[in-house]
Amino acid sequence: MEPVFRKDFLWGGACAANQFEGGWNADGKGPSVSDMCTNGTHTSPKRVTTAIRPDTLYPSHEAIDFYHHYVQDIALFAEMGFKTFRTSINWTRIFPTGMEAEPNEAGLAFYDRVFDCCKAHGIEPLVTISHYELPYALVEKYNGWASRALVDFYMNYCKAIFARYQGKVKYWLTFNEINAGTMALGSVLSTGTIKGYEGPVNAVPDDPQTRYQAIHHQFVASALAVKYAHDHYPDYKMGDMNIFATAYPLTCDPADILKCQQYMQMMNWFCSDVQVRGAYPPYAARFFAAQNIRLQKEPGDDEILRAGTVDFYTCSYYMSNCVTTHADAAESGGNLVGGVKNPYLKASDWGWQIDPQGLRYSLNEIYGRYGIPVMVVENGLGAKDVREADGAVHDGYRIDYLRQHIAEMAEAVKDGVDLMGYTPWGCIDLVSASTGEMAKRYGFIYVAKYDDGTGDLSRSRKDSFYWYKKVIASNGADLG
Ligand code: BGP
């Protein structure tokens, strides 16, 4: 294939602190919402608890212990040729309850070491400020982002990390998958609006009013952070981050087309319309009225949103789904994002429908709408891997998945999309966000850690490791 990607294309991989660091209470760190979540499976949901229960496995507590393996892990990323590494900062390492006046020096120092190590290998960090790691103390006291008070706590956190990592970090994402809050499951991971709730993560009593109010507070916090960064650190590039859950109408029945459009609006466009264009989109008003949602805005909020628009757009892309008004269609099994089965697509073992062409389609839609640089900061196949006795993992299925998606990204670039980079999800095996499992692996690097909490944490290179190294070395021209 001819080289089509930019010369400075940001090839790399993505992780999130709560899913791979471990060290959940090391060096003064406080508990986050994720630290209160037990393990689960595809069929039995993980649970959130209001206190750490004895004899209960909390997968984030050790995870794959990047906290003590970062030197080795970043060296492996460098061996693959990573230009960038997307990770997040665990808010509770810096502010253990989220409410302290001063940051925790030991937490700040850890990320100094991580970013210095990246820099030493010529890897540019791409940092998610908040990736499902809300301080649990803010849930207990404020019901998470339901409270406007969180805007100030978030800003204190941003100011501390913006100042500290000047010269080390240039690319920032304000919230991971901010549109997760538009779904009921997002109330655990994203908005933290679960005060006093203990039970399965998919059975939280749903309250759309609270979720959308929480998202409004996140919009304000994000815009203030972007504006502050632009004013104080002109070299910082600020991005948003969305789940892009492409949907197609199941039939050409105009009722299906309309339903799909409405789904696309409130699921995929609503948050980025606010964060990229700086105002609530017109279609939202009717949605809120129909749901009886009344947002509390403070005077000046509209100006804040207008002044804090992002420099680049990012998204996760794993799958697509269908939407229909016809009641007899079968559900697809996606964990975070539900939908109707597409008869033309196959699904992963976790029911996520694999749709590489949908990525080309989505990138065209996104770039056509916003016209700012776009980056795919999560994509990949969660699958069960087998490590052979000699340490090898023959993950041809993962190579196939990634190859097809990269080929479609190349088509999107040829279509005219300004694509900045690509960071496949879970470049090293880590804990699944939706199920809490280790068995759902995404990595190029296998980690000997299992669902029962056992494993010696040893790392080994999968077949996809060597394949991705060639992809990066050829700037995407050699897809093997
Ligand atoms: C996204 C999250 C990630 C990640 C990924 C894969 O929704 O941003 O944190 O985990 O999906 O999902 P899962 O881990 O459930 O397979």
Side-chain angles (χ1 to χ4, degrees), residues 108-136:
L108 287 169
F110 170 65
Y111 295 104
D112 274 326
R113 297 196 293 278
V114 169
F115 300 144
D116 288 345
C117 186
C118 287
K119 288 278 169 185
H121 286 290
I123 296 173
E124 181 74 45
L126 164 62
V127 173
T128 317
I129 297 169
S130 178
H131 190 141
Y132 301 161
E133 293 133 352
L134 184 67
Y136 191 69

Side-chain angles (χ1 to χ4, degrees), residues 183-322:
M183 296 176 291
L185 188 56
S187 55
V188 180
L189 293 173
S190 184
T191 58
T193 43
I194 49 165
K195 184 175 176 167
Y197 176 77
E198 176 150 340
V201 292
N202 62 353
V204 181
D206 190 29
D207 177 7
Q209 166 71 38
T210 303
R211 276 192 287 111
Y212 282 96
Q213 186 64 47
I215 295 175
H216 179 69
H217 295 147
Q218 292 182 332
F219 286 155
V220 170
S222 172
L224 287 170
V226 169
K227 172 89 168 61
Y228 183 87
H230 285 160
D231 288 349
H232 294 82
Y233 306 98
D235 59 322
Y236 282 9
K237 299 277 178 232
M238 308 300 294
D240 62 342
M241 199 300 200
N242 302 272
I243 305 172
F244 205 87
T246 303
Y248 307 124
L250 185 69
T251 73
C252 52
D253 177 349
D256 277 9
I257 309 292
L258 197 62
K259 187 170 178 190
C260 186
Q261 181 179 53
Q262 289 166 345
Y263 174 87
M264 288 293 289
Q265 286 175 333
M266 285 313 294
M267 174 67 209
N268 292 321
W269 299 123
F270 167 60
C271 293
S272 49
D273 279 353
V274 175
Q275 292 186 292
V276 178
R277 293 172 158 170
Y280 273 78
Y283 53 80
R286 184 165 187 180
F287 172 86
F288 290 140
Q291 305 272 320
N292 219 2
I293 293 169
R294 287 191 187 82
L295 293 185
Q296 301 278 321
K297 288 191 188 174
E298 286 193 359
D301 280 2
D302 290 344
E303 288 69 34
I304 290 172
L305 297 183
R306 234 189 334 269
T309 56
V310 294
D311 305 309
F312 63 107
Y313 170 100
T314 81
C315 63
S316 60
Y317 177 87
Y318 291 94
M319 65 181 116
S320 67
N321 276 300
C322 290

